[in-house]
Amino acid sequence: MIETIKKHIAEVEAFTASNKDEIETFRIKYLGKKGLLNDFFAEFKNVPNEQKKEFGKVVNTLKDTAQDKINTLKEVLESSEEIKGVYGDISRPGEPIELGARHPISIVKNKIIDIFSRIGFNISEGPEIEDDWHNFTALNLPEYHPARDMQDTFFIEKNPDVLLRTHTSTVQVRYMEENKPPIRTISPGRVYRNEAISARSHCFFHQVEGLYVDKGVSFADLKQTLQYFTTEMFGKSKIRLRPSYFPFTEPSAEVDVYWGLETETDYKMTKGTGWLEIMGCGMVDPNVLRNCNIDPEVYSGFAFGMGIDRIALLLHQIPDIRMFSENDLRFLEQFKSAY
Ligand code: DAH
């Protein structure tokens, strides 16, 4: 009997298999319920006492050898399968790839850029750290001009000539200094104001500036351009221009778009008036043109400026401007389907 078992051990050691079925048949033969090992274990009681020790040992050896063999054969087979199939199991569900979302500010900014680039505006940018000339003086705000109070400025290192720009109108100046008319440019960017942070206002936000300078540009051109913009941006073509004041434009106006009063949201957005204020604009003041070496006797132009954050808040009914800079994924993920 012991000899038979030893033969089996040799057989097990020599065994090889080329597929799972062969391994399984082998397993059943030795380790299955009705397998040889159970037969040998059952035989134990019939073995004479003096042989019991050796018998037990060989049976256990057979059991361990068979189990080891099965494990190694399985491992070899599995790893060779992995190498063989470059794609592995193609019926397996794929690894999920997290889709990112654009930031709502970028979504609105891109939409504005897209609309103006269709009518020949290019994109220009300027630095966020500015000097007095580009942020104020060239824009017709001389040193003691009361309109400087309109903008709370962050000055850097107590030097009044190094500041964080308070508006993107700075890029108008930079662009006109470096380019000759005809000029058609829009300038998106971040601006800073020393204001208390609340749900409605922040110490930094975003604007888009627009500038059009050429021979014979009129207020009618401005109005037409704005109407094109509101139609494309909001699907609303009814606008009104209210007289206003900006030092860098003359005349100046505030632009309202008629939003309507059909839903409760319309009421909320427009405070019950149906009108929504969306930007400031005007004809570029001759002093500004002159400051940028453009002859106001030859050229005229219009400019406008709008807040991206404000438009994004309105369009998406976002209750708090601080959400734009908190990076809360639960908020940002909601813009996945927007472009
Ligand atoms: N710079 C103004 C602001 O920050 C916005 C503005 C108003 C820009 C009228 C313009 C303009 O170009 O013509 O409030």
Side-chain angles (χ1 to χ4, degrees):
M1 179 69 90
I2 287 175
E3 282 315 303
T4 319
I5 298 172
K6 281 186 175 163
K7 263 191 207 144
H8 278 297
I9 293 175
E11 212 175 281
V12 166
E13 276 170 348
F15 179 73
T16 58
S18 56
N19 59 50
K20 277 184 191 157
D21 289 344
E22 282 174 25
I23 299 175
E24 184 58 10
T25 316
F26 174 80
R27 189 191 66 80
I28 292 167
K29 177 177 170 190
Y30 286 97
L31 301 169
K33 251 191 188 155
K34 294 179 182 163
L36 284 171
L37 269 154
N38 276 348
D39 289 350
F40 292 137
F41 281 126
E43 201 57 41
F44 191 71
K45 58 180 186 298
N46 303 327
V47 175
N49 272 348
E50 65 276 15
Q51 283 183 21
K52 268 193 164 58
K53 196 176 166 197
E54 197 189 350
F55 184 85
K57 221 166 126 188
V58 282
V59 175
N60 275 328
T61 309
L62 176 62
K63 188 183 157 206
D64 293 345
T65 321
Q67 192 58 63
D68 285 352
K69 191 75 186 181
I70 290 166
N71 291 345
T72 23
L73 285 176
K74 271 190 182 162
E75 256 170 47
V76 170
L77 206 66
E78 272 165 20
S79 66
S80 74
E81 268 172 8
E82 273 167 31
I83 294 162
K84 234 194 294 170
V86 178
Y87 299 106
D89 178 359
I90 56 167
S91 64
R92 247 171 58 191
E95 289 283 323
I97 298 168
E98 282 288 329
L99 260 196
R102 280 209 195 288
H103 193 281
I105 298 287
S106 298
I107 294 170
V108 171
K109 181 184 83 177
N110 290 345
K111 206 168 167 193
I112 297 170
I113 289 175
D114 194 45
I115 291 168
F116 281 105
S117 49
R118 291 208 291 274
I119 53 168
F121 281 74
N122 66 10
I123 300 166
S124 50
E125 283 182 336
E128 291 178 14
I129 300 174
E130 265 296 4
D131 50 33
D132 182 281
W133 171 255
H134 293 95
N135 201 75
F136 297 122
T137 308
L139 287 163
N140 208 28
L141 285 100
E143 204 172 332
Y144 296 107
H145 197 290
R148 287 201 181 203
D149 289 345
M150 285 162 69
Q151 323 215 308
D152 295 303
T153 311
F154 281 116
F155 292 96
I156 295 177
E157 290 171 0
K158 295 190 183 125
N159 179 347
D161 201 34
V162 187
L163 52 92
L164 294 177
R165 66 179 177 194
T166 58
H167 52 183
T168 45
S169 302
T170 52
V171 191
Q172 272 192 41
V173 179
R174 289 190 175 270
Y175 199 85
M176 284 191 281
E177 283 173 343
E178 277 156 32
N179 298 275
K180 291 277 145 250
I183 287 169
R184 276 186 234 102
T185 191
I186 54 166
S187 328
R190 182 173 285 180
V191 301
Y192 301 82
R193 291 199 194 162
N194 194 354
E195 276 177 27
I197 298 170
S198 72
R200 298 260 124 229
S201 68
H202 211 293
C203 61
F204 65 82
F205 52 99
H206 306 80
Q207 291 186 331
V208 174
E209 188 80 9
L211 177 70
Y212 192 143
V213 182
D214 203 352
K215 287 179 182 155
V217 176
S218 71
F219 202 87
D221 296 323
L222 168 60
K223 206 172 164 189
Q224 191 70 50
T225 307
L226 296 178
Q227 199 172 28
Y228 157 77
F229 170 71
T230 60
T231 311
E232 295 296 307
M233 185 77 196
F234 309 110
K236 318 266 180 190
S237 58
K238 191 167 156 186
I239 59 170
R240 74 179 180 195
L241 296 162
R242 279 180 292 110
S244 184
Y245 172 74
F246 298 103
F248 29 90
T249 44
E250 181 59 36
S252 306
E254 217 100 39
V255 185
D256 297 343
V257 56
Y258 188 70
W259 195 261
L261 274 177
E262 273 156 39
T263 65
E264 202 184 320
T265 314
D266 294 347
Y267 263 86
K268 258 199 232 158
M269 282 170 78
T270 67
K271 297 193 184 106
T273 64
W275 292 94
L276 209 57
E277 186 190 315
I278 51 158
M279 65 172 110
C281 68
M283 300 306 291
V284 181
D285 194 291
N287 287 338
V288 177
L289 294 175
R290 223 172 278 123
N291 287 337
C292 304
N293 299 318
I294 291 176
D295 186 353
E297 300 295 328
V298 182
Y299 295 103
S300 56
F302 63 72
F304 54 86
M306 62 187 122
I308 303 178
D309 307 58
R310 186 179 143 70
I311 294 175
L313 287 174
L314 287 168
L315 283 181
H316 298 289
Q317 288 295 293
I318 298 162
D320 192 321
I321 195 171
R322 289 170 290 199
M323 292 171 117
F324 288 140
S325 47
E326 278 168 356
N327 284 335
D328 187 333
L329 285 180
R330 291 169 302 178
F331 170 69
L332 296 173
E333 275 177 346
Q334 294 179 48
F335 297 91
K336 267 188 179 159
S337 57
Y339 81 102

